Amino acid sequence: MAFSAMIHNHLPATVNAGINRISAINAHREVVFDHPKTNKATNYKGARRLAESLSSLLNLHIETPLRKTNLQQSNNWDNLFHEEKHDTPTTSPKESVADKWRELHGSMDWNNLFDPLHPWLRREIVKYGEFAQATYDAFDFDSHSEYCGSCRYNRNRLFEKLGLTKNGYKVTKYIYAMSHIEMPQWLERSHLMDTWSKDSNWMGYVAVSDDEETRRIGRRDIVVAWRGTVVPSEWYEDFQRKLEPIGLGDSKVEHGFLSIYTSKDESTRYNKSSASDQVMKEVMKLVKFYEGKGEQVSLTITGHSLGGALALLNAYEAALHFPGLPVSVISFGAPRVGNCAFRDELDELGVKTLRVIVKQDLVPRMPGIVFNESLEKFDDITGTLEWVYTHVGAELRLDVTSSPYLKRGFNPLGFHSLETYLHLVDGYLSAETTFRSDARRDVSLVNKACDMLVDELRIPTCWYQLANKGLVCNEHGRWVKPRRDPEDIPSPIGSETHDHSLRLEMQQSYKMLYAS
Amino acid sequence: MAFSAMIHNHLPATVNAGINRISAINAHREVVFDHPKTNKATNYKGARRLAESLSSLLNLHIETPLRKTNLQQSNNWDNLFHEEKHDTPTTSPKESVADKWRELHGSMDWNNLFDPLHPWLRREIVKYGEFAQATYDAFDFDSHSEYCGSCRYNRNRLFEKLGLTKNGYKVTKYIYAMSHIEMPQWLERSHLMDTWSKDSNWMGYVAVSDDEETRRIGRRDIVVAWRGTVVPSEWYEDFQRKLEPIGLGDSKVEHGFLSIYTSKDESTRYNKSSASDQVMKEVMKLVKFYEGKGEQVSLTITGHSLGGALALLNAYEAALHFPGLPVSVISFGAPRVGNCAFRDELDELGVKTLRVIVKQDLVPRMPGIVFNESLEKFDDITGTLEWVYTHVGAELRLDVTSSPYLKRGFNPLGFHSLETYLHLVDGYLSAETTFRSDARRDVSLVNKACDMLVDELRIPTCWYQLANKGLVCNEHGRWVKPRRDPEDIPSPIGSETHDHSLRLEMQQSYKMLYAS
């Protein structure tokens, strides 16, 4: 999503025409007439030129023919997908991973787990990816809503609403962020005057494993999931003067990310304290509580796109504050964040980072790739930037062409989509082999917010939507936007109440532990 | 809808960019980021140029300031709309209109009922408009569906599913149409290989008033509602050679409309008989049946856009075949259909036509307005065409600027939308006065498939959509497109069964009538 916005911002209208056209056709299929034959040729021209520029830059073969795969490729997709797959569960039984957990979280830098990808690691990656995906799925993007930019559900209902209770975690705290730096379009804002917040967005959450999952993984795992939304375009426009120091050494990071992570303002409702303050306070509380109970505790931070960048800043800070606490980052499609000193310091602090990237996705190449508006092509300036921004940790590199379910062709939105990432992780065996034939994750999810699945699968594009955009017909026959359930209305006071109820819960669980 | 497609076909990519951009932003609000500030200026340029060309041609004032209206205009839309309107019914009590019914259906050519608009006539117009709207609301536009181009519900559930049972009619027959003429894009086609039909679309239905409504209106009213869908662009490209004779006199009509109305092919599943044959056979059966019971019977034909054109052809044929049967047409945003002789013959046959048009809508000016691609402006060729195509009947002329609920600004899709028409009819008092303050129809409906409502109302644009585009999560956790209920799967054999069940119903109702 963020990436699509970037493309829009930096391409001339004609190129946007092609890209918008695709979205418009897909989104409106139910209400506006689709007439591909006459128009596509004209409107795709811009997109094609863009694709050519990109593909030559990235040495991609856009129209790669389907590779032979482990799947029995046949023209009969009905049999392949509909009959074989519809009636099988999307998950396999869960094994206890307690003994291997430290390794799964990078204690050996994942050296022995990538080739082939260990099935337990695959499951862990998908689990954290789904935590990150939840920050999109529950986000209120409706600019006509007074709650635009908030989470649609309160923290006690989030996982239940999204079908994620199966993961065995419980949300304990929502994180809000703002920014002092003028970064157009990272913040979702309501068009209305009277809104829940003018300055802040819901930016993620803290969750903790329940007793059952804790037993399975052998420790109390605290998760922080960060939402990604920033428009990458803003990062690199003048990145040279936008590196800012972090910590006491030579570490420097992109100042836009840092601003979102650290900004606060007494006059706001949700950011009297910064995202950093909020998350660190919550993690501190949880660590103290569970360590006080004699449990092993770990911290795993996840995020997609901008969320991956925030995850790294968060991990840096947490590792500084909690020496000895295992801190790992599992990020998806994240951009570069800081300089070599930042990378080295993260290493020294023992932060283990697993960066999942898709080869065709441009965002992980940022900052370092710019769109030359006059030449209408992309320039790779990574060479000159290498000394400035650098990636950290281990990289799990996925390839769109490995999946027989995915369309070929230039699709920046699809390449960057987190659901595309999770699909490719699910099918990944090794860099040499192709898509796993026994992958079970629901393929339909890929098209939630993009157009990546081959037509034969008959999955609508961008299908993740509310019935009638949330309008309901009331008893008088009028279509109205229902008020949110009071318990789902964001409120800084409410969050204090949550803190209180968390304390009660903790006290109770503490008592129970000692009673048993 | 049809009109938007026309615009797309005949404008260069840059203009489309602006128009698509609007749709894309609106449709994707929930999943893609909206960033109006940077882009709108560029992308709207094309649309603005188009708007200027159109407005100078039509002598429109695009940015007309809001007129003083009967409504107490205030900045506080919350009070105006949310509190005052949300909790009132959308309909008023129904009076018996039996005595005035012939007048309401044009026996005096509506001379005495337009200024001010008689409230009973207003209700009748809205009733038939809703019958026409049903053909859009229930149509399967999903090109990934094997039933694309069919009605989503069987005829016994249609009104119930759309909340139209209140009108007191019962659907007796579905009408399907095809065309022998190459008219790209009038036919909705599935992308799939195995589909319910390759050649035909659901094109409308026949319904008949139930006993209660029959008592209220003083006669058994047969309704034919035609769906509009054709892309107007195709009509005028070579309209001079496309007038075809109809009937035995000098009457001529546009051959594209005629082709849809009369085409049949033995090799098809749904058009072994033409739309004309299907509808005439059904009307014949109903007329015979109810006249046989000694009832007064009437035929009212309605449609929007292309549907309005088909309604006129249908009325012409019915009037020829049923001398003495009162035949009236209530059409919305319909284009011109035939020549003066056609108009005169309709007059002589006693067909009463009420054409509802919106001043800003271009479709009623067609054929007669063309887009000059090289100059990128519209040319009005109505002057030279007047002798060829002519409108028939009485015209009720609505004005978008009369409603304080509607946006100003160029919006071809919105101007042509049937829901916009129904909203304006609901608020219409006379050409001189402005919107009726006691209009009760739900304003939200206007934005079903366009972006016409002022932002203050907080009604999402193009909101008429299925949850997750019809995908549902099955018991295995997979998102799948559920199979249609067997009873809703279109089937030519099924329709025979319907005929059979209709016969049974009729026999039964006949027996009951004589038993009572």
Side-chain angles (χ1 to χ4, degrees), chain B residues 341-498:
Chain B
F342 179 63
R343 175 196 60 195
D344 296 342
E345 210 176 339
L346 280 167
D347 265 355
E348 284 157 27
L349 289 165
V351 172
K352 298 300 179 184
T353 302
L354 170 49
R355 283 183 308 103
V356 186
I357 67 138
V358 163
K359 177 185 160 191
Q360 288 84 356
D361 183 9
L362 288 173
V363 175
R365 296 171 172 256
M366 296 181 181
I369 184 164
V370 289
F371 186 73
N372 186 322
E373 293 199 49
S374 52
L375 294 180
E376 286 192 16
K377 69 184 200 68
F378 276 91
D379 287 330
D380 192 350
I381 55 166
T382 322
T384 57
L385 270 177
E386 212 69 73
W387 62 273
V388 181
Y389 288 98
T390 184
H391 272 309
V392 303
E395 180 177 282
L396 178 62
R397 190 176 169 84
L398 310 169
D399 185 340
V400 164
T401 66
S402 70
S403 166
Y405 299 100
L406 301 184
K407 274 183 189 161
R408 306 300 178 256
F410 179 63
N411 188 340
L413 208 143
F415 296 161
H416 185 52
S417 165
L418 179 50
E419 287 289 3
T420 303
Y421 272 74
L422 298 181
H423 167 71
L424 290 170
V425 170
D426 187 46
Y428 187 85
L429 272 175
S430 75
E432 281 71 43
T433 57
T434 51
F435 211 79
R436 221 163 49 100
S437 62
D438 50 349
R440 287 185 150 199
R441 194 164 193 279
D442 186 10
V443 171
S444 312
L445 296 169
V446 173
N447 264 9
K448 254 186 196 172
C450 65
D451 178 9
M452 274 300 280
L453 292 174
V454 293
D455 290 336
E456 289 83 349
L457 292 171
R458 306 185 182 186
I459 304 301
T461 60
C462 304
W463 59 260
Y464 191 72
Q465 62 180 31
L466 298 176
N468 300 318
K469 298 200 175 172
L471 295 187
V472 294
C473 194
N474 73 12
E475 75 265 39
H476 303 292
R478 296 192 180 275
W479 288 90
V480 296
K481 184 164 282 187
R483 299 231 165 255
R484 265 201 196 176
D485 286 349
E487 66 202 72
D488 290 333
I489 293 174
S491 155
I493 297 154
S495 72
E496 294 305 313
T497 328
H498 289 326

Side-chain angles (χ1 to χ4, degrees), chain A residues 414-432:
Chain A
F415 296 159
H416 185 53
S417 165
L418 179 50
E419 287 288 3
T420 303
Y421 273 74
L422 298 182
H423 167 72
L424 291 171
V425 171
D426 187 45
Y428 186 85
L429 273 176
S430 75
E432 281 70 43

Side-chain angles (χ1 to χ4, degrees), chain B residues 85-150:
Chain B
K85 293 278 185 178
H86 271 189
D87 297 330
T88 55
T90 51
T91 49
S92 322
K94 287 184 182 177
E95 309 88 351
S96 167
V97 300
D99 294 344
K100 217 173 169 73
W101 198 88
R102 289 300 296 270
E103 257 186 78
L104 293 176
H105 279 245
S107 65
M108 318 258 290
D109 293 316
W110 294 283
N111 276 333
N112 51 338
L113 301 175
F114 274 5
D115 198 10
L117 183 64
H118 194 290
W120 295 359
L121 177 58
R122 182 186 298 115
R123 162 171 290 165
E124 287 289 293
I125 296 173
V126 170
K127 179 176 89 179
Y128 292 105
E130 287 180 345
F131 285 142
Q133 180 66 37
T135 64
Y136 293 121
D137 290 345
F139 191 74
D140 189 341
F141 286 100
D142 179 5
S143 59
H144 288 284
S145 158
E146 60 193 303
Y147 305 115
C148 178
S150 75

Side-chain angles (χ1 to χ4, degrees), chain B residues 215-241:
Chain B
R215 274 191 297 276
R216 190 182 77 86
I217 61 179
R219 70 218 62 233
R220 190 68 65 173
D221 185 36
I222 302 166
V223 168
V224 184
W226 291 95
R227 193 170 54 81
T229 182
V230 95
V231 183
S233 62
E234 303 304 318
W235 310 343
Y236 52 76
E237 270 183 2
D238 44 1
F239 42 79
Q240 274 138 329
R241 60 177 175 84

